[in-house]
Amino acid sequence: MLHFRVSTILKESFEATLKRPFPIFNQRSWLPNRRRRCCCFSTVSCDARLVSSRLNVLHAAPLRTAPCAAPVRLYCVKTEGAPVEPDEHTKKDGSESEDNEKRRNAGILPSLEDLLFYTVAEGQEKIPAHKFLTALKGTGLRTGDPRLKECMDTLKETLKKTSDGVTLDRHLFKKCVQSNIVLLTQAFRKKFVIPDFQSFTSHIDELYENAKNLSGGQVADYIPQLAKFSPDLWAVSLCTVDGQRHTVGDTKVPFCLQSCVKPLKYAVAVNDHGTQYVHSFIGKEPSGLRFNKLFLNEDDKPHNPMVNAGAIVCTSLLKQSVSNAEKFDYVMNFLKKMAGNEYVGFSNATFQSERESGDRNFAIGYYLKEKKCFPEGTDMTSVLDLYFQLCSIEVTCESASVMAATLANGGICPITGERVLTPEAVRNTLSLMHSCGMYDFSGQFAFHVGLPAKSGVAGGILLVVPNVMGIVCWSPPLDKLGNSVRGIQFCTDLVELFNFHNYDNLRHFAKKHDPRREGGDQRQHTFGPMDYESLQQELALKAPLWKKVSPTESNQDSSTTVVYRMDKVAE
C-alpha cells in the first residue's frame, strides 16, 4: 500500500513561503525546451507484494533565468532499505498508516488500482474486459506474459461470475489487477524502456515491408532439409528488456538455429566454467577466413567460438562427464529458460541430414583431434553428434527474440525475471558476436550496424540492442556470405532510423529517432522553462499520486526546491 506524507516542518515552511512572491516563474529561460518528465516508480519489481521498502523522492529542476532569480533544481533520488524516521507529528499522534488508511477510504488518497481503473475507464463506471486487454496490448505486454498469469487467471474467473460476462466495475477490476499492479502501473504510465511502443512498432512494420520487397539470394541447399523452405518466408520479432513484444510476418513457423546456436552454447560454457577455462581452448580473434576452414591460430586453437572449429571445441566443454543425451537435455533446458519457456524444439530430420552431409565438419573434427584441441579424454565423434544436434534445435522468431532479449538484459529473462546467465557470460558473448558473428561480413556489419549479432544458414539473424531489446529476423534466401538478404537489409535500415548503433551519440545525434525513455534508469531529468502554475499542472498530470505541496526556499544554496516524499508501507 502506498502512502505519502510531508513533515510538519516542511508544511510550516511551505505555508510561510506561499506568502512570498515567486518572480522566477514568470521569467523566460534561455534554455531550449526539453521533454518534460516526472519521476515515477522503480521498475525493479513486478509484484505489488514486494513493495515494502520506503522511497524518498525529491523533485527539483534547474530553471536558468535572469541573474536576479534563484535557480530551480529537480532531483529524483531513490533509497532502498533505508528506514525513514517518523516525524514529530507521527510520533505524537500515533500510527501514520492508520491515518492514511482513513484518508484513502475517504477518497483523498486513491490506490494504484483506483488510478488504473480511472485511466482505462475514461469516466465510465464499468470497464469492458476487452477494452482493458486492448489497452494492455498497446503497452507492449501480452496477456500470456508469465508475470501476468495471476491477473489473467483472476480476470477469467471473475468474468464468469459477472451478470453479463463482459464488464467489470471498479471493485472487481481492483480484485483482478491487484496482484500485478506495479507492473501494470509501469506499463500504463509509459515507464518501460520504449515508452511509446505503438509508434515504435509502426516504424518496425514499415522496415519489415521495405525488406519484404527484396528478391535476391538463394536458399541454402547443402543441407537437404534447409532447401525445402520457401524463399517467400519472412518474419521479424522483438522483445524488450521490460518484456514488451511485437511480431510481424511468419513468426510462428519453426526453423533451426544452425549457427545462431553458437553464441548461446558459448554463453552456457562460460556460465559453467568461466572465461579463463573456456579460452584456454578457444581464441577470441576474428579469423578473416570462411567459417568452415581447416585453420587454427598461432597457438593451435580455433580462432573464436563463432566459426565451426571453435563451436565444435566449445561443444566438447559442455557437461564433460555425462552422456550426450544428458548434455543435450542440459542445453535444451538452458535455451528454454532463455526463451521464457516458449517454443524450443528439435528437428530430427535436419539432424540426420546434417550428419549425412557433414564431411567438412568431420574433417575439422579430425584436424582438431590431431592438434589436441579437445579436453583430455574427449570422444570426437560423440562431440560432432552433439554439435549437429544443437544446430538442429528449432525455434520460432517469437521464442528466439526472448533469447536475444535475455542477452540484452544481462542474462535475466525479461518475461520470467529468472537469471539464466551470468553477466560475465553475457558480456563475453556479445563482444564476440560483435566482432565475429556475421561470417565474413562481420567487419562490415560492425561498421554499419554497430550491434552484436549472429546469423545462421537457415536464414535467421539474432540481433541484440544491449539494455534495450532483442530482435530476430528470419528469411531463408542468403547472400554469398551466408547471411539472410532481407535480414541484413532490415538491420541496416533499423540503425539508420534509430540511434541504436553502439557509437551513436544519444544526446547530439538529432537526425535519428531515440525511442528509449529519456534518462534511462537513472530517473533524473531536466525540466524546460515553466512557471509555477504550469509546474503544478505538469505534476498533477504525470504524478497524480503525489500530494501537491508548495515550494520552499533553501538558505544554503539559494535555490527553490519542490519536495515530494513517498513512503511505501507494508500492509
Side-chain angles (χ1 to χ4, degrees):
M1 188 180 297
L2 297 177
H3 299 296
F4 304 83
R5 61 176 180 165
V6 179
S7 68
T8 306
I9 297 175
L10 283 177
K11 287 181 179 178
E12 294 173 354
S13 183
F14 293 157
E15 290 172 0
T17 308
L18 277 177
K19 299 177 182 179
R20 305 175 186 174
F22 295 96
I24 68 166
F25 295 111
N26 294 321
Q27 300 281 348
R28 296 294 298 174
S29 167
W30 54 268
L31 282 177
N33 282 321
R34 297 184 181 178
R35 185 179 180 182
R36 301 173 187 172
R37 302 195 64 144
C38 287
C39 182
C40 190
F41 312 102
S42 166
T43 58
V44 173
S45 172
C46 297
D47 191 336
R49 292 170 296 183
L50 296 180
V51 183
S52 58
S53 61
R54 297 188 173 197
L55 293 177
N56 288 338
V57 181
L58 299 177
H59 224 61
L63 296 179
R64 299 190 182 181
T65 56
C68 61
V72 177
R73 298 181 302 165
L74 282 102
Y75 300 103
C76 182
V77 181
K78 172 185 170 186
T79 57
E80 301 236 2
V84 180
E85 292 296 328
D87 56 29
E88 293 300 323
H89 179 73
T90 303
K91 291 178 182 178
K92 291 179 181 179
D93 297 345
S95 171
E96 179 185 324
S97 60
E98 293 179 4
D99 180 58
N100 279 337
E101 185 65 34
K102 294 178 182 178
R103 296 169 65 192
R104 174 163 294 176
N105 293 336
I108 299 174
L109 293 175
S111 66
L112 286 173
E113 293 89 341
D114 286 326
L115 291 170
L116 183 58
F117 176 84
Y118 298 139
T119 299
V120 180
E122 297 179 335
Q124 302 299 313
E125 294 183 359
K126 290 187 176 182
I127 298 177
H130 68 84
K131 182 177 181 180
F132 168 62
L133 297 178
T134 301
L136 182 66
K137 184 179 179 181
T139 69
L141 293 182
R142 290 185 170 181
T143 56
D145 192 309
R147 297 169 295 176
L148 293 175
K149 185 178 186 305
E150 192 172 350
C151 173
M152 293 299 117
D153 289 346
T154 306
L155 180 61
K156 287 181 182 178
E157 293 301 317
T158 302
L159 287 175
K160 291 178 182 178
K161 300 176 183 178
T162 59
S163 57
D164 58 5
V166 176
T167 58
L168 300 167
D169 60 21
R170 186 168 62 92
H171 174 72
L172 293 177
F173 180 81
K174 290 172 65 175
K175 178 184 175 182
C176 294
V177 302
Q178 62 185 0
S179 59
N180 300 114
I181 188 58
V182 174
L183 177 64
L184 292 171
T185 300
Q186 291 165 355
F188 281 92
R189 290 172 64 81
K190 296 188 176 182
K191 297 302 176 183
F192 284 158
V193 66
I194 305 295
D196 193 349
F197 195 67
Q198 288 180 305
S199 173
F200 174 73
T201 55
S202 68
H203 288 298
I204 295 296
D205 291 345
E206 290 176 8
L207 299 182
Y208 170 88
E209 292 297 331
N210 291 340
K212 187 176 182 179
N213 297 327
L214 297 178
S215 58
Q218 297 292 325
V219 178
D221 56 5
Y222 68 92
I223 300 174
Q225 287 299 314
L226 299 182
K228 296 181 178 180
F229 281 99
S230 167
D232 296 326
L233 292 169
W234 170 222
V236 174
S237 288
L238 66 88
C239 175
T240 73
V241 294
D242 287 320
Q244 297 165 284
R245 310 286 297 275
H246 181 67
T247 62
V248 55
D250 306 301
T251 55
K252 295 186 183 297
V253 180
F255 64 93
C256 289
L257 281 170
Q258 292 296 328
S259 286
C260 288
V261 82
K262 290 175 180 174
L264 305 179
K265 65 184 174 185
Y266 167 76
V268 174
V270 175
N271 185 83
D272 291 349
H273 301 295
T275 303
Q276 185 174 355
Y277 178 80
V278 172
H279 285 287
S280 65
F281 295 94
I282 311 169
K284 310 180 188 75
E285 292 287 341
S287 67
L289 301 168
R290 291 286 290 172
F291 65 96
N292 58 357
K293 286 287 186 181
L294 279 75
F295 193 76
L296 301 177
N297 64 18
E298 59 185 12
D299 298 321
D300 279 344
K301 298 177 184 177
H303 285 81
N304 62 73
M306 305 301 154
V307 295
N308 285 14
I312 292 171
V313 173
C314 187
T315 303
S316 72
L317 304 180
L318 301 170
K319 285 290 179 182
Q320 298 170 36
S321 60
V322 301
S323 67
N324 261 13
E326 291 175 288
K327 291 178 182 178
F328 180 77
D329 280 346
Y330 179 73
V331 177
M332 282 288 283
N333 288 333
F334 241 107
L335 299 186
K336 286 179 181 177
K337 289 179 181 178
M338 290 186 68
N341 298 315
E342 295 191 359
Y343 178 77
V344 179
F346 176 71
S347 172
N348 186 60
T350 303
F351 164 60
Q352 297 292 344
S353 182
E354 279 214 55
R355 187 163 60 173
E356 292 168 3
S357 60
D359 293 339
R360 167 70 68 164
N361 285 320
F362 274 102
I364 294 173
Y366 280 108
Y367 183 52
L368 294 170
K369 183 179 179 181
E370 179 206 354
K371 294 293 185 178
K372 295 180 170 52
C373 295
F374 295 113
E376 188 175 349
T378 297
D379 181 348
M380 186 272 296
T381 56
S382 178
V383 168
L384 281 174
D385 266 357
L386 181 60
Y387 173 80
F388 294 137
Q389 284 179 318
L390 297 182
C391 287
S392 303
I393 290 175
E394 279 189 340
V395 294
T396 64
C397 252
E398 295 190 17
S399 60
S401 69
V402 183
M403 294 179 180
T406 299
L407 293 176
N409 200 33
I412 298 174
C413 179
I415 64 174
T416 64
E418 179 182 4
R419 174 165 289 285
V420 185
L421 297 167
T422 63
E424 175 190 19
V426 173
R427 182 196 63 191
N428 291 355
T429 301
L430 295 182
S431 297
L432 288 169
M433 288 170 67
H434 184 75
S435 61
C436 316
M438 300 297 290
Y439 301 127
D440 294 345
F441 192 66
S442 296
Q444 292 270 21
F445 193 87
F447 183 86
H448 292 288
V449 179
L451 292 170
K454 185 70 190 82
S455 61
V457 294
I461 294 181
L462 189 151
L463 182 74
V464 177
V465 186
N467 304 310
V468 181
M469 70 181 67
I471 302 175
V472 172
C473 312
W474 176 59
S475 179
L478 309 177
D479 60 22
K480 293 180 179 179
L481 298 176
N483 298 312
S484 170
V485 173
R486 293 189 182 102
I488 292 291
Q489 185 66 48
F490 177 88
C491 294
T492 305
D493 291 345
L494 178 77
V495 174
E496 286 183 359
L497 181 61
F498 299 109
N499 57 357
F500 286 157
H501 191 293
N502 265 336
Y503 305 110
D504 279 339
N505 189 294
L506 299 186
R507 295 184 61 189
H508 303 298
F509 213 131
K511 293 182 180 179
K512 292 187 179 182
H513 296 286
D514 186 1
R516 291 162 280 202
R517 66 182 165 213
E518 182 183 351
D521 290 330
Q522 190 178 356
R523 309 296 177 123
Q524 181 171 327
H525 312 290
T526 303
F527 282 58
M530 65 182 82
D531 59 22
Y532 178 63
E533 183 178 357
S534 298
L535 178 62
Q536 290 284 36
Q537 292 174 354
E538 180 80 357
L539 293 176
L541 175 66
K542 297 290 185 181
L545 285 177
W546 294 345
K547 178 182 173 63
K548 293 181 185 178
V549 293
S550 304
T552 179
E553 291 186 2
S554 168
N555 294 326
Q556 295 179 352
D557 56 6
S558 299
S559 65
T560 301
T561 304
V562 183
V563 180
Y564 294 88
R565 177 163 161 177
M566 179 173 66
D567 290 83
K568 290 185 176 181
V569 182
E571 291 188 272

